[in-house]
Amino acid sequence: MLDLAETGITVPDEGSLPADLTAFLRSTFRQRGQRPVLIGLMAQALLDPVFAVAFRDRFLFSRRAALRELLDRAIARGEIAADIDPELLIDIVYGVLWYRLLLDHAPLDEAAGQQLASLVVRATR
C-alpha cells in the first residue's frame, strides 16, 4: 500500500494551493478500489498495538508528510494565513477520507476530492 500510495499519488507542484490541493485530493480519492485493503489495515491496527505503530509510522505518517509538503509550499507562497494550523488542515482532509472510507455513506471520488480541496482552500484565508 505504501508503494502504491507513493507512486500513484504524487505531490503536485502546480504553483498554487488550489491547483496543488485539487490535484492531490483528486488523485488520493481516485484510489477508491483500495477500500477493502485500507479498511482491513485499519481494523488490524485497532486489534494489534504493534501493527498500529508500524501502520501509523510507515503509512499514515508518510501520507500526512506528503500533504504537509504541499501545505508548506503554500505557506511559503503566503497562501495560508499565519494563524492557520497546517496539522489541523491535514486532520480535516484525512478525517474526511477515513470517515467516508470506513462508513461508505457518501461519495469518495474525484468530485469529492475537488469539493474538499475547495473547502480547505476557503478555510485557509
Side-chain angles (χ1 to χ4, degrees):
M1 281 306 302
L2 184 57
D3 290 341
L4 179 63
E6 288 176 350
T7 59
I9 305 168
T10 60
V11 180
D13 190 357
E14 303 291 329
S16 73
L17 177 61
D20 289 350
L21 192 57
T22 297
F24 182 80
L25 291 180
R26 288 179 62 143
S27 179
T28 297
F29 284 25
R30 188 181 305 130
Q31 302 299 318
R32 182 98 163 97
Q34 301 305 317
R35 182 176 183 267
V37 174
L38 289 169
I39 289 172
L41 291 170
M42 185 59 79
Q44 184 63 31
L46 293 171
L47 298 171
D48 181 345
V50 173
F51 178 81
V53 170
F55 181 57
R56 182 193 66 211
D57 292 351
R58 293 187 63 215
F59 181 74
L60 298 176
F61 282 179
S62 74
R63 300 318 307 150
R64 290 180 67 86
L67 182 52
R68 181 62 194 245
E69 177 184 335
L70 186 152
L71 294 176
D72 284 346
R73 282 198 312 262
I75 290 167
R77 290 189 300 254
E79 295 178 280
I80 296 178
D83 63 336
I84 301 293
D85 178 1
E87 291 298 316
L88 183 57
L89 291 176
I90 294 168
D91 287 344
I92 290 167
V93 167
Y94 286 116
V96 168
L97 178 122
W98 280 101
Y99 194 80
R100 288 188 175 196
L101 189 71
L102 293 170
L103 294 184
D104 201 22
H105 72 290
L108 189 57
D109 54 17
E110 290 185 55
Q114 172 71 51
Q115 290 175 324
L116 181 57
S118 296
L119 180 67
V120 169
V121 167
R122 284 194 308 271
T124 63
R125 297 185 180 132

